[in-house]
Amino acid sequence: MNIDIDIDKWLGHLSRFLSIIRPKAYNVITRLVVGAGITLVISQSRIFEAMIVAGFESYFGRSEVLRDYLDQDSNLHWGTFLIVVGMVYHLLMTVGTDLVNTQLQRVPKYPELKLGVVNADGEELSGDSIQLRGAICEVPPEDEIPNYVKVINVPGGRNGFNMFGGMSTGFMVQGLNDKFFKERAKFLRTWGGSELLYFMISNDSRILAKNVSVCLVIRRDVGVAVDNTNDDFPDIPSKQKSQRFDFLQPNSIQSYDIRRGHSDQEYIFTWNVGDVQAGTVVESKTAIFIRSDRNTVIRATTYCDDLPEPISKEYQVEAATKEITQIMVSDLKVDDAEFAAILDNAVMDGYLGRRAEKEFNKYQHESQEHLPD
């Protein structure tokens, strides 16, 4: 690739050099030089040699070297040299210039940038259509969802009194997440029928694309929710309370390469890509979370300092085609295996299971990977 770029640069230098040595009367110059060579070859007199000496010395002064050379019997060599020079000059001015210009026309003047979309599984989406996977979930109202409570019964004495004389039929298990069922409902409502979208920019030309950026705009319609995130593996609700104490944790500032800036009517995201080398692909590290119960549009505009104008593109986002899943309170109380089956149907056609397997395989590999310190 670097060799091609160097050749293009040298072709540009050669084109400028040929334009400098190619005056309007280059045909006349060719005829004079070739004619002079022919004359020297067939001439039997010294008149033409005298004209050469007079012309040269009128500009540069007396030259004994030229006189000595022409005094020799070198008409044939001198004439042949002039004929060759004239013909080479003519070829450069005609065929050579045309060849260089033809090659330069094949060199792209602007970088060729292409915007692509990748889903959560790393599959590049073809065309201008984005199909959301899974199923929209309708969950019970929060006030109808009970708290998660687990009671362990303790054997008591007669009339419900235990051996210590206290009235005790059981006690609450500490450390449990009492909002477990509500969090399951919220998870299904949020992630059902959603998708994580990553974006990539490819430079298919042999020219460096400088200062590339992409702007993504989506209308804030009812039923459409969009955000940026660096987390491609959301935490599934757990029965146990988190043991983290956030006030003891140092504040960690998230770094997003796709930044958000919403208005009242639109979701607006900006991806500052930077320079994109020739023949390379740059992928975003931040994903766009989108959940929609209706079709919508993503308007994408690519900017680059080396382009005469921005590149505009629209993606048609199609809502999940599966039938809406009605979640009952009983569905929120099932065991983990049954709830995983509900998630497989609702969230990106089983993405969470595939992602968990990928993490498990990664852990197994790293646990058996013995590297020097």
Side-chain angles (χ1 to χ4, degrees):
M1 187 59 63
N2 291 333
I3 295 176
D4 292 335
I5 296 175
D6 290 340
I7 292 176
D8 297 340
K9 182 174 69 175
W10 283 109
L11 282 174
H13 294 331
L14 179 58
S15 177
R16 287 191 289 273
F17 173 73
L18 291 178
S19 64
I20 292 174
I21 65 172
R22 188 179 189 269
K24 293 182 178 179
Y26 73 92
N27 281 324
V28 176
I29 295 175
T30 301
R31 295 190 188 100
L32 289 176
V33 173
V34 174
I38 294 174
T39 302
L40 283 175
V41 171
I42 65 176
S43 175
Q44 299 298 320
S45 64
R46 297 285 188 172
I47 296 177
F48 195 76
E49 294 178 9
M51 292 174 62
I52 293 176
V53 172
F56 181 85
E57 293 183 347
S58 64
Y59 286 100
F60 304 104
R62 183 178 180 83
S63 175
E64 294 297 337
V65 175
L66 181 61
R67 287 173 175 269
D68 292 341
Y69 179 77
L70 291 178
D71 283 342
Q72 303 173 8
D73 188 16
S74 58
N75 283 12
L76 180 61
H77 299 97
W78 183 250
T80 302
F81 174 74
L82 289 179
I83 292 173
V84 172
V85 169
M87 296 303 296
V88 171
Y89 175 78
H90 182 71
L91 287 174
L92 284 175
M93 294 303 98
T94 54
V95 179
T97 301
D98 291 341
L99 286 175
V100 171
N101 291 336
T102 300
Q103 291 298 322
L104 286 176
Q105 289 176 358
R106 296 178 180 175
V107 177
K109 296 181 181 179
Y110 307 110
E112 298 176 12
L113 298 179
K114 179 183 177 183
L115 181 65
V117 184
V118 177
N119 65 17
D121 286 295
E123 301 167 341
E124 184 175 0
L125 306 181
S126 59
D128 301 332
S129 178
I130 298 174
Q131 177 65 62
L132 302 184
R133 299 176 293 173
I136 297 291
C137 294
E138 291 187 356
V139 301
E142 186 173 355
D143 57 1
E144 295 181 8
I145 302 175
N147 289 337
Y148 175 64
V149 177
K150 187 175 182 180
V151 176
I152 298 179
N153 291 322
V154 176
R158 185 181 302 175
N159 298 325
F161 286 85
N162 63 22
M163 61 183 296
F164 300 104
M167 188 173 182
S168 175
T169 58
F171 64 90
M172 299 283 296
V173 177
Q174 299 298 317
L176 294 181
N177 179 12
D178 60 340
K179 298 186 182 302
F180 176 53
F181 297 144
K182 292 181 172 64
E183 289 180 358
R184 274 186 166 183
K186 181 180 178 181
F187 191 91
L188 287 170
R189 184 177 61 244
T190 301
W191 287 93
S194 66
E195 186 62 76
L196 292 175
L197 301 176
Y198 294 87
F199 292 83
M200 61 182 186
I201 282 284
S202 60
N203 182 359
D204 297 332
S205 68
R206 294 180 290 177
I207 299 176
L208 170 69
K210 291 176 289 189
N211 195 23
V212 178
S213 63
V214 179
C215 181
L216 306 167
V217 179
I218 305 127
R219 283 185 55 83
R220 299 187 74 167
D221 294 325
V222 176
V224 178
V226 190
D227 202 0
N228 60 339
T229 178
N230 289 331
D231 186 8
D232 62 348
F233 194 20
D235 292 331
I236 299 175
S238 172
K239 296 178 181 178
Q240 302 296 324
K241 288 183 178 178
S242 173
Q243 297 301 316
R244 295 180 305 171
F245 297 95
D246 294 336
F247 61 89
L248 296 178
Q249 301 292 332
N251 293 330
S252 58
I253 300 176
Q254 288 279 2
S255 176
Y256 300 94
D257 58 357
I258 298 182
R259 301 177 181 273
R260 65 179 181 180
H262 303 170
S263 68
D264 292 338
Q265 294 78 32
E266 296 173 326
Y267 296 98
I268 303 172
F269 299 92
T270 302
W271 178 25
N272 292 317
V273 186
D275 295 346
V276 182
Q277 298 289 334
T280 61
V281 178
V282 178
E283 298 182 4
S284 67
K285 297 180 177 62
T286 298
I288 298 296
F289 167 87
I290 180 169
R291 177 197 178 277
S292 180
D293 57 14
R294 65 192 62 197
N295 295 343
T296 187
V297 175
I298 298 178
R299 302 196 310 273
T301 306
T302 304
Y303 301 90
C304 175
D305 288 352
D306 300 303
L307 291 177
E309 60 184 16
I311 302 173
S312 298
K313 186 173 184 179
E314 286 191 352
Y315 293 97
Q316 303 295 324
V317 180
E318 300 179 7
T321 56
K322 285 185 179 180
E323 185 178 352
I324 295 177
T325 301
Q326 299 287 340
I327 301 297
M328 311 300 292
V329 173
S330 59
D331 296 323
L332 303 176
K333 295 182 176 181
V334 298
D335 60 26
D336 291 343
E338 291 179 276
F339 190 71
I342 297 175
L343 291 178
D344 284 345
N345 175 70
V347 182
M348 293 179 259
D349 295 340
Y351 164 74
L352 295 174
R354 294 190 296 274
R355 187 69 174 81
E357 183 180 2
K358 180 179 178 181
E359 286 296 314
F360 178 72
N361 292 336
K362 178 181 177 182
Y363 168 77
Q364 279 194 319
H365 171 75
E366 291 179 350
S367 64
Q368 301 175 6
E369 187 178 35
H370 305 291
L371 299 174
D373 296 332

